[in-house]
Amino acid sequence: MTFSLATKLSVLLLFIGSTLYVHLRGKARLPMLRQFVNHSALFAPYNALMYLFSAVPSKPYLDRSKFPELDVLKDNWEVIREEAMHLFDEGYIRAAEKNNDAGFGSFFKKGWKRFYLKWYDKPLPSAEALCPKTVALVSSIPNVKGAMFALLPGGSHLNPHRDPFAGSLRYHLGLSTPNSDDCRIFVDGQVYAWRDGEDVMFDETYVHWVKNETEQTRVILFCDIERPLSNRLMTRINRWVSKQLGRATAPQNLDDERVGGINQAYAWSKTFSDKFSSQVKQWKRKHPKAYRIARPVLAVVVLVLLWKWLFG
């Protein structure tokens, strides 16, 4: 199948335009080059549609009272905390042991850990066995698409980033926190500090980052909530897309649980890239001049290939 020049340019302009829109949305931004190579750029055209048809305001933090179905989580926060702390004590809240968690791979380097409760289609078997009360609460709310316990140790942080998929919003419920302004999240530069039993809703596609400048570990309930849309057709489309992405990114807590294709590919690419990166670093140390020449040459090659794709 061949595409006309007009079609190719339209696709390119759609990608550039939507990525710029995502980049310029809000006050906090990633560096321009990083934004265009960031995984969030892949979803930029889709995300622009989500923003266009969103039934909630386009702002970093959202009014939690507009989501009354989540009251059941806040009202039962102590029940949820009890199960979370049992898992914490037993060591079940942990990093992905096989590098097969594409969505949060970079977080593990900072000491961030998680235990999945539900991921888009159904609860994980390990969660049903180990924390049945929390799973029952989460599963009683249809628009909770994903849920986990998330841990961040004292003295750690998460660098500025934006999540790639605007079909959902993010919900946090404090379970065991430092209850301090020194343990906080910045969403588009606006600060929120976690407190036990308190919750918050925000749009995770704004640039956000986290700092825990205390000595205490922070444990929260972390949920993906379906973004309310103003159009029924877009709602159906978003649910279908979410379902496919959920299956492709299916995570695991224990080795016998299913892993989605994207996470499997991520694990393979991580192994390959680590080996490749090690070889590149060795070559760079041995041949620093050749390395400095090779980088711009590679950039030119990429530009030439793009030019040929556009103009034949």
Side-chain angles (χ1 to χ4, degrees):
M1 180 184 294
T2 59
F3 296 95
S4 67
L5 176 59
T7 300
K8 294 177 181 179
L9 285 174
S10 296
V11 171
L12 182 62
L13 289 174
L14 175 64
F15 171 76
I16 292 174
S18 55
T19 302
L20 282 174
Y21 174 68
V22 169
H23 176 68
L24 297 173
R25 182 174 176 261
K27 297 178 181 178
R29 293 164 189 162
L30 301 176
M32 178 71 78
L33 180 58
R34 180 184 165 190
Q35 178 59 68
F36 272 89
V37 299
N38 187 263
H39 57 302
S40 64
L42 295 175
F43 285 92
Y46 183 83
N47 288 350
L49 280 176
M50 293 295 99
Y51 303 140
L52 178 63
F53 290 100
S54 181
V56 297
S58 182
K59 59 182 184 179
Y61 291 99
L62 300 164
D63 185 353
R64 222 291 278 146
S65 66
K66 301 298 183 182
F67 298 81
E69 66 275 16
L70 300 177
D71 289 348
V72 67
L73 298 178
K74 185 175 182 180
D75 292 345
N76 288 277
W77 76 273
E78 290 175 305
V79 173
I80 297 171
R81 179 176 67 176
E82 182 179 357
E83 290 193 327
M85 298 317 293
H86 174 71
L87 291 177
F88 174 58
D89 292 340
E90 296 295 322
Y92 283 105
I93 305 178
R94 57 196 181 197
E97 297 180 346
K98 297 182 179 180
N99 287 320
N100 57 2
D101 195 335
F104 304 99
S106 63
F107 289 5
F108 299 130
K109 299 176 183 178
K110 306 296 183 181
W112 186 89
K113 300 176 183 179
R114 84 292 182 264
F115 181 87
Y116 285 97
L117 303 166
K118 175 185 178 182
W119 197 246
Y120 282 80
D121 53 354
K122 57 185 178 180
L124 276 72
S126 56
E128 290 180 306
L130 295 168
C131 43
K133 295 178 183 177
T134 302
V135 168
L137 288 167
V138 167
S139 298
S140 71
I141 310 170
N143 63 339
V144 175
K145 299 303 181 183
M148 68 178 78
F149 294 130
L151 177 158
L152 185 70
S156 189
H157 69 280
L158 300 179
N159 291 326
H161 61 282
R162 68 167 85 245
D163 286 27
F165 182 60
S168 63
L169 301 167
R170 185 63 43 78
Y171 172 79
H172 283 181
L173 172 63
L175 300 176
S176 178
T177 75
N179 292 301
S180 167
D181 290 342
D182 290 330
C183 182
R184 59 207 186 277
I185 184 171
F186 300 79
V187 183
D188 199 33
Q190 300 179 32
V191 185
Y192 174 83
W194 293 281
R195 295 287 192 278
D196 292 359
E198 295 185 8
D199 55 7
V200 65
M201 287 280 298
F202 63 94
D203 185 336
E204 73 272 29
T205 59
Y206 282 98
V207 174
H208 55 286
W209 60 98
V210 173
K211 292 183 179 181
N212 184 1
E213 297 176 316
T214 74
E215 296 181 354
Q216 182 180 338
T217 295
R218 180 225 67 182
V219 180
I220 61 172
L221 175 66
F222 172 121
C223 298
D224 280 353
I225 310 298
E226 181 182 310
R227 179 186 288 269
L229 300 174
S230 60
N231 182 280
R232 289 185 179 180
L233 176 60
M234 290 306 303
T235 297
R236 291 176 64 184
I237 291 173
N238 188 45
R239 287 175 180 171
W240 183 86
V241 171
S242 296
K243 185 176 181 180
Q244 305 313 309
L245 285 175
R247 289 178 176 174
T249 58
Q252 64 176 189
N253 296 318
L254 303 178
D255 288 344
D256 58 353
E257 292 173 323
R258 175 184 173 272
V259 178
I262 288 177
N263 283 340
Q264 292 181 38
Y266 176 79
W268 177 86
S269 67
K270 190 72 169 60
T271 301
F272 175 80
S273 65
D274 286 347
K275 292 181 180 179
F276 180 75
S277 178
S278 177
Q279 293 176 350
V280 169
K281 288 178 180 178
Q282 291 179 14
W283 188 75
K284 178 183 177 181
R285 286 194 294 268
K286 292 181 180 179
H287 311 283
K289 292 183 179 179
Y291 178 80
R292 288 196 295 270
I293 295 172
R295 287 186 65 186
V297 169
L298 181 61
V300 170
V301 169
V302 171
L303 289 173
V304 168
L305 291 174
L306 178 61
W307 181 272
K308 286 188 175 182
W309 179 78
L310 283 172
F311 303 105

